Amino acid sequence: MKAYERFLKYVQINTASSETSDTTPSTACQFDLANLVAEEMREIGVSEVYVDEHAYVYGVIPASEGLEDAMSIGFIAHLDTIPDFPGENVKPRLIENYDGGEIVLGNSGRVLSPADFPHLPSLKGRSIIVTDGTTVLGADNKAGVAEIMEMAETVIKEGIPHSRIAIGFCPDEEIGHGASLMDLKRFGAKVAYTADGGAEGGVEYENFNACGAKVSFNGFNVHPGSAKDTMINASLVAMEFNSMLPSGDTPRDTEGYEGFFHLTSMEGDVEKATLNYIVRDHDAGSFEARRACLAHAAKLLNKKYGEGTVDLEIKEHYRNMCEAVKPHFHVVENALEAIKAVGLEPSVEPIRGGTDGAQLTFRGLPCPNLGTGGYAYHGPYEHISVEGMEISTRILLNIVERYAK
């Protein structure tokens, strides 16, 4: 079975995670894909296949004879899709010999257009997989799952010489918990790669420092006719808080290594209001300055309106893995050489987000991220090419071969 054939099957399984759940996995449906890929792993000959109580999937391809002492490597992808756009009833559509132009996405009224996605003409002649415009596709990250499965089957069937290969599939990456409960002793790799990036040929080993901020506002509600110097409108205080943040530091206005404050949701009335942010920056010093900016705004408003008016809660998400990867830079160098071996010039860019690899790197498992061939993740315009998946799988195989030398 080819990687794209597995992918077409996987995306039709709903695995959306949930930010409101306090369990791992956050949604029981993630077990559906976990159990399916575990069974497929057993069928192709992967050893020590195991699904734990949190929907983490483990498997091992034992080292080839004579390579038992070679460095053990791992490959990881996540099972879940984002919680904030529909991931159920996905209807993937395969377009062969794509003409490079606009694609009407079902009856949704949405159009995948080169005007919005300028890379599309470069995919002309390929076979493209798209949505019907009403759901995500699930290439983030079921493409990675499919490619790792295809790599594993090829290694076993073709008898490709290899060191010990660990395989891991995780739940809840999209809500920031994907690597938190992964059993690294069971996984048993010295270095690993997450297959969770964009276009084929990408390598990422720098990511944002990241946290979430929940800001709660407590108002004082009295009759507006007698509210002079008495009423505190929680919603207006929330607006005042947001106005105290740098107006140009939003995802729309930043790129590359530039950080941002991203207001993800807001609700409120006179009595109560809440703002939720994600805060990102590659530079550790700038990241701490952003946290301090939030705290300073809360302090000033509490001084103005009374202590307890503003409550700031910051939740750490992940840190930039760059410094922790550098002492093991062969993990990056081997990926770069594996990409060059398929005739591509590697694309090395900072991740304007995070991956399971960031958490895993700080837990002692150096783990850069690799492209899977997909584009426009986290929405109805998500798409991927069959050829991009084939190239990404070949890159995984090249990495295997490099660690066997």
Side-chain angles (χ1 to χ4, degrees), residues 81-329:
T81 59
I82 59 167
D84 51 357
F85 200 84
E88 192 173 8
N89 298 317
V90 174
K91 298 177 177 63
R93 174 187 170 199
L94 176 63
I95 302 171
E96 296 181 343
N97 195 24
Y98 168 54
D99 65 8
E102 292 187 345
I103 300 174
V104 176
L105 300 178
N107 297 317
S108 67
R110 295 185 169 104
V111 177
L112 183 63
S113 171
D116 300 312
F117 302 99
H119 69 274
L120 283 170
S122 71
L123 303 179
K124 183 177 179 179
R126 291 190 176 193
S127 295
I128 306 294
I129 303 172
V130 299
T131 74
D132 68 352
T134 63
T135 69
V136 295
L137 178 60
D140 182 11
N141 184 224
K142 291 168 185 173
V145 176
E147 290 159 9
I148 291 171
M149 291 293 294
E150 176 67 11
M151 175 275 295
E153 184 173 26
T154 302
V155 166
I156 294 169
K157 281 190 174 181
E158 297 184 8
I160 296 173
H162 59 276
S163 62
R164 179 185 181 276
I165 300 172
I167 297 170
F169 300 125
C170 304
D172 289 344
E173 188 271 353
E174 296 291 3
I175 58 172
H177 303 307
S180 58
L181 296 180
M182 189 172 186
D183 186 340
L184 296 187
K185 184 176 181 180
R186 177 185 287 274
F187 191 63
K190 297 296 184 184
V191 298
Y193 298 88
T194 50
D196 189 20
E200 64 272 18
V203 180
E204 300 164 328
Y205 63 93
E206 298 178 90
N207 63 283
F208 275 136
N209 297 288
C211 68
K214 179 181 180 181
V215 195
S216 302
F217 302 87
N218 301 299
F220 189 77
N221 193 3
V222 297
H223 191 286
S226 56
K228 173 68 173 172
D229 296 328
T230 303
M231 176 186 284
I232 300 173
N233 188 319
S235 292
L236 289 177
V237 179
M239 293 167 65
E240 189 174 351
F241 179 93
N242 189 71
S243 73
M244 297 170 76
L245 304 181
S247 61
D249 285 12
T250 70
R252 177 182 174 85
D253 300 309
T254 54
E255 61 185 354
Y257 288 93
E258 298 168 343
F260 56 75
F261 300 94
H262 178 36
L263 178 61
T264 59
S265 66
M266 57 190 295
E267 60 180 345
D269 52 28
V270 175
E271 189 74 24
K272 298 283 185 180
T274 304
L275 302 178
N276 288 290
Y277 296 88
I278 58 174
V279 184
R280 304 287 190 264
D281 210 300
H282 278 87
D283 181 79
S286 296
F287 179 64
E288 292 306 320
R290 292 185 184 281
R291 292 167 56 121
C293 181
L294 294 169
H296 185 60
K299 177 182 176 181
L300 290 179
L301 291 175
N302 277 328
K303 185 176 181 179
K304 179 178 180 179
Y305 295 106
E307 198 62 37
T309 301
V310 182
D311 179 57
L312 171 64
E313 178 185 350
I314 293 180
K315 183 177 181 181
E316 192 82 18
H317 286 169
Y318 43 78
R319 290 280 176 164
N320 190 344
M321 63 179 166
C322 179
E323 293 303 317
V325 167
K326 283 182 177 178
H328 314 276
F329 207 64

Side-chain angles (χ1 to χ4, degrees), residues 20-41:
T20 61
S21 171
D22 58 1
T23 64
T24 303
S26 60
T27 52
C29 62
Q30 294 180 66
F31 274 110
D32 296 338
L33 184 56
N35 290 325
L36 173 64
V37 295
E39 184 57 34
E40 290 182 352
M41 289 163 72

